[in-house]
Amino acid sequence: MTRQNWLLTTAAAALLLTACGGKEDAADTDKKAAAYTKADDPNVHPEIWPKGQSPVERDEAIEERVAEILAGMTLEQKVGQVIQGDIGATTPDDVAKYHLGSVLNGGNSAPKGDLRISPTEWLALADEFWDASVGPDGDGIPAIWGTDAVHGHSNIIGATIFPHNIGLGAANDPELIRRIGEVTALEIAVTGLDWTFAPTVATPRDDRWGRTYEGYSEGPEIVGAYAAEMVKGLQGEAGTDEFLGPDKVISTVKHFLGDGGTKDGIDQGETIATEEELRDIHAAGYIPAINAGVQSAMASYSSWNGRKMHGNKSLLSDVLVDQLGFDGFVVGDWNGHGQIKDCVPTDCLQSIMAGLDMYMAPDSWKGLYESTLGYAQSGDLPMERLDEAVSRILRVKLTAGVWEKGRPSTRPLAGQWELLGAPEHRAVAREAVRKSLVLLKNDGTLPISPGANVLVTGAGANDMNMQTGGWTISWQGTGNSREDFPNADTIWEGIEATVNAAGGTATLSEDGSYETAPDVAIVVFGETPYAEFQGDRPHVDFMDNAGLNALTSYQEAGIPAVAVFISGRPLYVNPELNASNAFLAAWLPGSEGGGVADVLFTDAAGNTRYDFTGRLSYSWPKRPDQAVLNVGDADYDPLFAYGTGLSYGDDGNLEELPTDYVVAGGGSDIVFDEGSSGDWRMSVVTAYSPPVQVEDVTAETQDGALRLSRIDREAQEDSLVLDWSGAAEASFIVSGGPVDWSRQANGELALQVDYRLDEPLSGPISLGMGCGEDCGADFTLPGTDSVGEWQSATIRLSCFGDAGLDLTAIDRPLVLTSAADNKLSMSFAGLATSPGGTACPE
């Protein structure tokens, strides 16, 4: 859903890796409502979509109350209701002054800017926003607070963290999903918040997408079966007394529509699908969610037929509301309206005219309020449409009883901190872990006797960050410590407790070494945390040899080795499968690592405690280029098919798998080599506007701070021109991977950029590389005294390493940044031999 705050720093700009991706809206429109409403998508045929109706029946008393409130509102109050600000850029005073209808906490937002602040501060701030919205006389409209509780109340220290959706899909247990929703809603209510941006009901079709783990399955049938149950768990059963009661919250289905189908798995990109595929595959979760009474739907960043969803009236209004029967309100994604043609985050009439009821304008809310108010005053925003949007929001607020629930701290569950991570909640999460595990290989090594001598190793064995993944406390799920999870167990801790209780021996070895050969070695390894942008990748080759090296060493020593693979998607791991005696996909299991031990070990008497019941909800690749691998495709050829999974008693032996596949592309020039676009992606970005992916010969940030074009040097359009206006700090970014260039650094290879200054330098240009959130290094671009002459800037990779770059996890091999009015042409950027004795820049 939401993005982290796009702060005004080079580092923050460099984190926005892959950009918005999709094409701009095809319709050539201005900002006049009359012109825009004629630009409906001719490719949409609402009549072929199912006719639905929400089970939340219109209540006469609520309808009268909506009309009464609406009649008494000023124009300023109405505009405020349709705008949502982030708590990192919005104060209670702002809510009072501008009558904002909602606030949210984005991925990197928290009270007082402290992601690890006490839950008491969340409740206290909820009170402050409530007080500001209702006013001193209590006659105002309460603001509601939305949060990304996408796998439990995952922003809160101590909350129960469930497996991410990809693991839950493997459990294939809709009733379990409902219970997870119930626990999540209850823990949200403890902190006084009203609304969660969940569930994600995307149907991911390309595993290169960095949000693959947010989808339950590549198969629409699992997505459809889960959507209604999660909505019911969060909101309660429509038509009953439990519906949106004191232990329930408003639910959101997202992202409407097609976010899981983007070309090449590019986040916010273009979904290539027929309307029937859009309906049958990508809308599979929306229809049952609407039938369960979901009260909010979030528009997608992605495009379909060249048109951004935030501006597609035919789908947002004609299909979602009029045909499918959605009766809640449509909220935008983080400044997603700013990606519409002719829009910026602070000014976009088109989105509300297309059917967006509430703009998510985290840091742009004030400018957007002013521009939207201007359109309402001039009549460009018809009062009928504004009243419709406000009425939808008011109806949900009244249905949810936010007036009656009162000040957050006075609600029945508020402040009952013992419910955060309560034992009974952790038990549900542990059950979810057990059921999500998928056993893919077993030569009889499993199950393990808890009385054995067990060695545990691997980067993921005792690492809660890897275990919980993205959207956990922080946006990318990084930077957290073990102390941030007081109600949790790592996988190692779960194994240790199980083995110790049975009188066995369990040893954690960080480097994999041992003094006495163990009976069995458990190697826990996999992906490090990521969320959107950083999670997109060019292929599905795992490409990290640490786990493989450990498995191989045990294999050579004759020690049975069990691979526990942590990942947010299926990946090519044939070498690791060959080197292991047993291999299980653990996905991103969340806070209850003990659930892994539950299934790996027998009881003291040698009886199976829990069998493996998880089955693949995503097909598993046999080659690193099989990112698009969906059951039913004409060329379907997986290593493990959709639905695969072993149980104890099954023959789990595998023949030796081929390992001679290589990833295509990857030339030395990371920008211009033929085929390199499949491995690296180019984008231009500023801190003030959404990132824009380079898909053509030209590209430009929406605020005009950086323009990209092409020129000829030795061949047609073989060079780029980067033209900074000086209006804001802006970056040209090449992203992908991550790749391990530590070996290249040891060989003294360098990052080389061949460039020409086209105008005298007005300010510094930095040349940098990045390795994830808050990880990177940069230097001032060398040799910028000459104008009009081609030259080479060469900086050894080891220099970047010495300056803080993690050379084993490079995901941005080139970042050029400037805040000044500069113009530079570039004909090569990539790895090159470093001249002997070249010093690092100062």
Side-chain angles (χ1 to χ4, degrees), residues 668-674 676 682 708-722 732 734 751-758 767 781 789-793 814 816 823-831:
S668 62
D669 190 325
I670 60 178
V671 178
F672 300 102
D673 270 355
E674 183 178 356
S676 66
M682 296 183 287
L708 178 147
S709 58
R710 290 184 180 265
I711 59 169
D712 303 343
R713 184 181 181 188
E714 297 177 353
Q716 184 177 2
E717 296 180 350
D718 67 345
S719 301
L720 297 182
V721 178
L722 302 177
F732 168 76
V734 176
L751 175 63
Q752 177 179 314
V753 177
D754 295 349
Y755 74 95
R756 179 187 69 194
L757 276 184
D758 297 323
L767 172 61
L781 183 68
E789 299 178 3
W790 287 98
Q791 57 186 310
S792 295
L814 179 67
L816 286 166
K823 189 174 183 181
L824 172 150
S825 297
M826 176 173 59
S827 62
F828 173 86
L831 298 184

Side-chain angles (χ1 to χ4, degrees), residues 746-785:
N746 292 335
E748 290 301 296
L749 289 181
L751 175 63
Q752 177 179 314
V753 177
D754 295 349
Y755 74 95
R756 179 187 69 194
L757 276 184
D758 297 323
E759 296 175 355
L761 201 66
S762 296
I765 300 173
S766 71
L767 172 61
M769 303 178 77
C771 46
E773 186 176 12
D774 298 329
C775 178
D778 61 80
F779 299 95
T780 299
L781 183 68
T784 50
D785 296 333

Side-chain angles (χ1 to χ4, degrees), residues 1-3 148 150 164-166 197 199-204 209-217 254-255 259 267 470-471 475 530-532 568 588 618:
M1 195 288 307
T2 53
R3 305 291 172 270
D148 278 290
V150 293
H164 269 295
N165 285 354
I166 190 170
F197 303 124
T200 299
V201 293
T203 309
W209 188 36
R211 307 189 75 160
T212 296
Y213 64 81
E214 294 188 48
Y216 295 118
S217 176
K254 65 181 187 183
H255 308 84
D259 51 340
D267 193 53
W471 288 106
W475 176 38
Y530 55 83
E532 57 265 51
L588 299 169
Y618 289 78

Side-chain angles (χ1 to χ4, degrees), residues 73-146:
M73 295 175 71
T74 66
L75 190 58
E76 289 79 6
Q77 289 171 328
K78 291 179 180 180
V79 171
Q81 282 297 304
V82 304
I83 293 177
Q84 179 184 63
D86 182 79
I87 65 171
T90 312
T91 67
D93 287 343
D94 293 329
V95 168
K97 181 176 180 180
Y98 294 94
H99 318 288
L100 300 185
S102 173
V103 295
L104 80 149
N105 60 282
N108 275 351
S109 298
K112 300 180 180 179
D114 183 357
L115 295 177
R116 290 156 192 86
I117 203 164
S118 166
T120 61
E121 297 289 347
W122 288 81
L123 182 57
L125 186 58
D127 274 351
E128 291 183 39
F129 281 120
W130 169 274
D131 293 342
S133 61
V134 300
D137 298 328
D139 55 359
I141 300 171
I144 52 176
W145 183 335

Side-chain angles (χ1 to χ4, degrees), residues 247-271:
D247 59 346
K248 303 298 179 184
V249 294
I250 299 165
S251 172
T252 306
V253 281
K254 65 181 187 183
H255 308 84
F256 191 85
L257 182 65
D259 51 340
T262 58
K263 184 177 183 296
D264 298 328
I266 296 172
D267 193 53
Q268 306 180 21
E270 174 82 5
T271 296

Side-chain angles (χ1 to χ4, degrees), residues 6-182:
W6 290 344
L7 302 178
L8 315 182
T9 64
T10 302
L15 292 176
L16 304 179
L17 307 181
T18 57
C20 54
K23 301 175 184 177
E24 291 183 332
D25 287 307
D28 183 15
T29 67
D30 59 20
K31 293 180 180 177
K32 297 291 184 181
Y36 190 76
T37 53
K38 294 177 182 178
D40 296 348
D41 190 338
N43 298 292
V44 175
H45 305 86
E47 67 277 5
I48 75 168
W49 295 70
K51 185 67 176 176
Q53 181 176 350
S54 171
V56 183
E57 297 181 3
R58 291 286 178 91
D59 181 277
E60 183 177 346
I62 287 178
E63 294 307 302
E64 291 177 357
R65 182 68 177 137
V66 168
E68 178 186 350
I69 295 171
L70 194 67
M73 295 175 71
T74 66
L75 190 58
E76 289 79 6
Q77 289 171 328
K78 291 179 180 180
V79 171
Q81 282 297 304
V82 304
I83 293 177
Q84 179 184 63
D86 182 79
I87 65 171
T90 312
T91 67
D93 287 343
D94 293 329
V95 168
K97 181 176 180 180
Y98 294 94
H99 318 288
L100 300 185
S102 173
V103 295
L104 80 149
N105 60 282
N108 275 351
S109 298
K112 300 180 180 179
D114 183 357
L115 295 177
R116 290 156 192 86
I117 203 164
S118 166
T120 61
E121 297 289 347
W122 288 81
L123 182 57
L125 186 58
D127 274 351
E128 291 183 39
F129 281 120
W130 169 274
D131 293 342
S133 61
V134 300
D137 298 328
D139 55 359
I141 300 171
I144 52 176
W145 183 335
T147 188
D148 278 290
V150 293
H151 62 137
H153 198 14
S154 51
N155 295 280
I156 305 298
I157 300 297
T160 307
I161 309 298
F162 293 94
H164 269 295
N165 285 354
I166 190 170
L168 298 181
N172 204 6
D173 188 340
E175 188 272 337
L176 172 64
I177 301 307
R178 184 166 183 165
R179 286 189 283 131
I180 290 172
E182 290 171 348

Side-chain angles (χ1 to χ4, degrees), residues 213-383:
Y213 64 81
E214 294 188 48
Y216 295 118
S217 176
E218 73 187 37
E221 63 279 353
I222 292 179
V223 178
Y226 275 18
E229 295 306 310
M230 181 59 79
V231 169
K232 291 175 183 177
L234 292 166
Q235 294 189 165
E237 187 86 34
T240 70
D241 291 340
E242 73 165 1
F243 186 66
L244 290 172
D247 59 346
K248 303 298 179 184
V249 294
I250 299 165
S251 172
T252 306
V253 281
K254 65 181 187 183
H255 308 84
F256 191 85
L257 182 65
D259 51 340
T262 58
K263 184 177 183 296
D264 298 328
I266 296 172
D267 193 53
Q268 306 180 21
E270 174 82 5
T271 296
I272 308 299
T274 66
E275 185 178 5
E276 288 77 13
E277 290 169 334
L278 201 65
R279 176 196 66 197
D280 298 338
I281 296 173
H282 298 289
Y286 292 91
I287 297 163
I290 291 168
N291 291 339
V294 69
Q295 293 292 285
S296 175
M298 183 178 291
S300 177
Y301 277 112
S302 56
S303 305
W304 184 65
N305 287 330
R307 193 169 204 194
K308 285 286 184 181
M309 284 301 309
H310 275 69
N312 194 316
K313 178 182 180 293
S314 296
L315 286 170
L316 286 183
S317 295
D318 301 341
V319 169
L320 178 62
V321 176
D322 296 342
Q323 186 69 11
L324 299 183
F326 173 66
D327 197 30
F329 66 83
V330 180
V331 64
D333 207 337
W334 188 279
N335 278 331
H337 57 277
Q339 296 186 8
I340 303 301
K341 183 178 174 64
D342 296 327
C343 284
V344 293
T346 55
D347 189 342
C348 189
L349 174 61
Q350 290 93 313
S351 277
I352 193 169
M353 291 307 303
L356 197 75
D357 300 308
M358 181 184 288
Y359 294 93
M360 184 182 288
D363 50 2
S364 60
W365 63 267
K366 187 174 181 181
L368 184 66
Y369 171 90
E370 292 169 346
S371 64
T372 306
L373 179 61
Y375 289 128
Q377 291 169 334
S378 68
D380 288 340
L381 171 55
M383 191 58 58

